[in-house]
Amino acid sequence: MVEGRSRVASHESHTGRLPGLFMNPGTSSFTDFLGAYSPEMLPGRRTPPVSPVGDDIPHGTTIVAVSFPGGVVMAGDRRATAGNVIAQRDIEKVFRADEFSAIAIAGTAGIGIEIVRLFQVELEHYEKMEGRTLSLEGKANRLATMVRGNLAMAMQGLAVVPLFAGYDEERDTGRIFSYDPAGGRYEERDFYSIGSGSVFARGALKKLYRPELSPEDAALACVQALYDAADDDAATGGPDLTRRIFPVVATVTADGYRRLGEDEVGAMAQAVVDGRYDSPGGPTAPLR
Amino acid sequence: MPFYVSPEQQMKDKADYARKGIARGRSVVVLQYDDGILFVADNPSRALHKISEIYDRIAFAAVGKYNEFENLRLGGVRYADVNGYQYDRRDVTARGLANVYAQSLGTIFTETNKPYEVELVVAEVGVEASSDQIYRLTFDGSVADEHGYVAMGGQAEAVAQALKDRFQEGMSLAEALKAAVQSLEAQDSDRHLEAKSLEVAVLDRNREHRLFRRLPAARIESLLGEDAS
């Protein structure tokens, strides 16, 4: 039964029936189940490379998130870099985690996308097994465990750091959680940014953020902040008006996750770029 | 000293045992309507479900012993999620799931003393009605590919007969729900079912991503109140 297990995942090869493990009561966690059944499929269970890998593997860059009354908006640029080469100009780094949360990644793109896939299945699996969804903190903690599982890889240059944001149904607010490569989980207030351009994006958000932002204005603040990140960080891509490649922008509110349409974001990006012709530094904040 | 029991007798005894167990429970019906597949169970419990989501387009309905079909449900969710994670979401099919259920039930029936007292439906909603798939599985692992409608559980024959008289292709959700409820009322001569004693869910092909949805009691009531025009 052990041989062939990884190829025919869920059949006992000679009988075709579900192996005993599938029918045991027990965990509602997909990751835990997979760890018992087929551990080599989990991102955290692999042997890390013996020497640190260089810059040749694509890295995702800047992500921003801004909360507003009744929800949160998350946005990411579309660039992945491998050293000084643009590896991908239309990569997507912001994803729907479940109905009421969004996840985005910065760092090694391949491992990041795998963690996102696993996290999406994890949330849905729990919901189906238990008949209820995890609390927002529960989801955030679950993600912390996955990031911690990648620590050995991170030490060899394959670090992934996610940003997690969701709508908290009990409090009727949007909440943002950031992580460090060791699995530390931190709740952020108001807004946050991760990735290589995050320093610049956070500086911009500091000046643009207001507690009473509308969802549209919060999304616009994200696009402005990403422009500022792209302005000063070579690894962050700005809005590409010639190819019509714009940031991925998604909101999470009581109505659920919604990714803004290409035309909506396109109009926003066009307005931001137009505004920069007059004022290359973007909107100015009052001095006093 | 054990008595000799012929294999025929042994299988017959097990089958009778399983049938009796299933006949004690209340019924469930599954039927196609114009936007997908409708599941209706005569089940007053809000917590112990007989109808559940398995995957994006696949749902599960069961009658019989709760702990046994719950075990099968958990196994099915794990099977679907492992395959969807390993390959792609499109690679999880009702046919594959029906197959592993059939093998599991068949093995349990022949190799253990006590067979499972359950009957299942695994259904997958297609892009259009002609590609919908409904599989019915019995306690011994037999599979039947059903079209239109299925009734199972206690008094399944009376319910199926009532459903046969009422079922038409391309019914609206309200019409299909009424037909299902009237058929379930055929379990007993004086049975009247209200919204709060029904568990109702749909696989709606016009939704996105996860097509399974439970209907709350208020929605059931309003659908039952609509004129079947």
Side-chain angles (χ1 to χ4, degrees):
Chain A
M1 185 195 137
V2 172
E3 64 169 316
R5 186 201 239 181
S6 59
R7 262 164 286 137
V8 192
S10 39
H11 301 251
E12 276 186 6
S13 44
H14 54 292
T15 61
R17 70 176 185 230
L18 288 171
L21 200 57
F22 279 73
M23 307 273 273
N24 286 348
T27 180
S28 293
S29 160
F30 182 71
T31 316
D32 291 355
F33 175 73
L34 210 55
Y37 175 65
S38 190
E40 71 282 357
M41 281 166 68
L42 287 178
R45 302 289 182 96
R46 294 184 201 119
T47 319
V50 275
S51 58
V53 295
D55 286 341
D56 318 347
I57 295 176
H59 277 61
T61 47
T62 310
I63 306 293
V64 295
V66 173
S67 64
F68 57 84
V72 60
V73 56
M74 198 180 237
D77 75 307
R78 303 291 291 272
R79 182 170 291 180
T81 55
N84 64 324
V85 173
I86 295 174
Q88 185 84 36
R89 49 175 109 252
D90 61 353
I91 190 175
E92 299 195 355
K93 295 177 283 190
V94 178
F95 303 89
R96 176 189 189 276
D98 69 354
E99 189 58 32
F100 292 110
S101 61
I103 179 174
I105 45 139
T108 313
I111 298 177
I113 288 167
E114 190 180 12
I115 288 179
V116 168
R117 276 191 75 205
L118 183 63
F119 185 60
Q120 289 168 327
V121 178
E122 176 82 17
L123 298 187
E124 185 185 321
H125 188 78
Y126 182 92
E127 194 182 322
K128 290 189 287 196
M129 298 294 267
E130 294 284 323
R132 64 176 281 269
T133 53
L134 278 167
S135 64
L136 196 62
E137 284 92 345
K139 295 174 198 172
N141 287 339
R142 205 57 221 167
L143 184 56
T145 314
M146 289 182 190
V147 177
R148 195 170 299 125
N150 195 52
L151 182 59
M153 293 287 207
M155 302 306 285
Q156 298 300 344
L158 295 168
V160 173
V161 182
L163 189 63
F164 178 64
Y167 171 74
D168 190 325
E169 289 172 274
E170 283 161 33
R171 301 189 195 175
D172 186 35
T173 54
R175 296 171 70 186
I176 302 167
F177 296 90
S178 73
Y179 297 84
D180 67 33
R185 187 213 86 174
Y186 314 95
E187 179 159 7
E188 304 296 343
R189 299 170 65 157
D190 306 337
F191 58 86
Y192 201 68
S193 168
I194 60 166
S196 60
S198 61
V199 192
F200 310 109
R202 218 174 304 157
L205 286 176
K206 206 181 277 179
K207 304 295 173 205
L208 297 173
Y209 177 79
R210 316 269 182 282
E212 69 285 358
L213 282 174
S214 69
E216 296 74 28
D217 287 351
L220 185 61
C222 287
V223 177
Q224 291 278 16
L226 285 174
Y227 188 100
D228 285 321
D231 206 16
D232 287 305
D233 172 38
T236 304
D240 189 340
L241 299 178
T242 54
R243 293 191 185 82
R244 314 289 301 160
I245 299 171
F246 305 116
V248 176
V249 184
T251 60
V252 189
T253 61
D255 296 331
Y257 175 95
R258 186 174 83 90
R259 179 174 165 175
L260 272 59
E262 202 81 323
D263 43 343
E264 276 173 276
V265 184
M268 235 183 278
Q270 186 72 53
V272 168
V273 173
D274 289 347
R276 301 276 170 147
Y277 280 104
D278 298 328
S279 160
T284 50
L287 201 53
R288 66 180 80 215
Chain B
M1 190 178 151
F3 295 102
Y4 172 76
V5 183
S6 72
E8 289 87 350
Q9 188 60 43
Q10 212 174 8
M11 291 300 157
K12 189 177 170 301
D13 288 353
K14 281 194 202 179
D16 286 345
Y17 175 84
R19 272 193 207 100
K20 265 186 216 157
I22 295 164
R24 276 197 291 272
R26 303 180 200 210
S27 300
V28 172
V29 296
V30 179
L31 67 162
Q32 286 177 283
Y33 71 104
D34 57 359
D35 286 330
I37 301 173
L38 170 69
F39 301 78
V40 184
D42 174 3
N43 179 15
S45 169
R46 294 291 121 228
L48 307 177
H49 295 301
K50 291 186 167 182
I51 300 165
S52 304
E53 173 186 18
I54 298 282
Y55 211 62
D56 295 354
R57 317 184 70 92
I58 305 173
F60 167 101
V63 293
K65 231 168 162 250
Y66 178 79
N67 67 323
E68 292 175 348
F69 69 69
E70 177 68 2
N71 243 348
L72 290 164
R73 182 186 74 87
L74 297 180
V77 170
R78 286 176 178 146
Y79 164 87
D81 280 341
V82 167
N83 277 299
Y85 181 67
Q86 188 177 25
Y87 305 109
D88 186 77
R89 296 195 79 90
R90 279 170 302 178
D91 298 316
V92 179
T93 60
R95 203 186 132 272
L97 184 64
N99 244 326
V100 291
Y101 276 152
Q103 299 300 341
S104 300
L105 283 167
T107 312
I108 292 163
F109 182 75
T110 48
E111 288 178 10
T112 60
N113 282 326
K114 187 207 161 301
Y116 270 18
E117 298 157 68
V118 296
E119 201 167 321
L120 315 177
V121 161
V122 173
E124 176 175 348
V125 68
V127 184
E128 50 195 39
S130 60
S131 51
D132 287 350
Q133 294 170 46
I134 302 177
Y135 298 98
R136 174 200 194 131
L137 294 119
T138 50
F139 53 85
D140 58 354
S142 329
V143 196
D145 185 358
E146 304 278 353
H147 296 279
Y149 61 91
V150 181
M152 55 185 184
Q155 313 304 317
E157 269 146 48
V159 177
Q161 186 56 48
L163 201 50
K164 189 180 174 193
D165 298 339
R166 290 174 177 80
F167 178 79
Q168 285 166 354
E169 271 180 32
M171 283 190 288
S172 71
L173 180 57
E175 289 165 347
L177 182 61
K178 266 179 221 162
V181 172
Q182 285 163 3
S183 307
L184 285 172
E185 284 172 345
Q187 285 178 99
D188 296 307
S189 51
D190 57 349
R191 183 70 138 252
H192 178 68
L193 291 167
E194 288 183 359
K196 63 179 191 309
S197 61
L198 291 169
E199 183 186 355
V200 181
V202 290
L203 281 171
D204 181 346
R205 71 178 107 254
N206 298 323
R207 284 169 64 85
E208 273 179 30
H209 186 44
R210 287 163 75 180
L211 309 187
F212 180 85
R213 188 165 54 105
R214 291 185 190 284
L215 302 190
R219 174 98 172 106
I220 300 171
E221 226 157 84
S222 78
L223 281 170
L224 287 175
E226 267 176 43
D227 277 327
S229 52

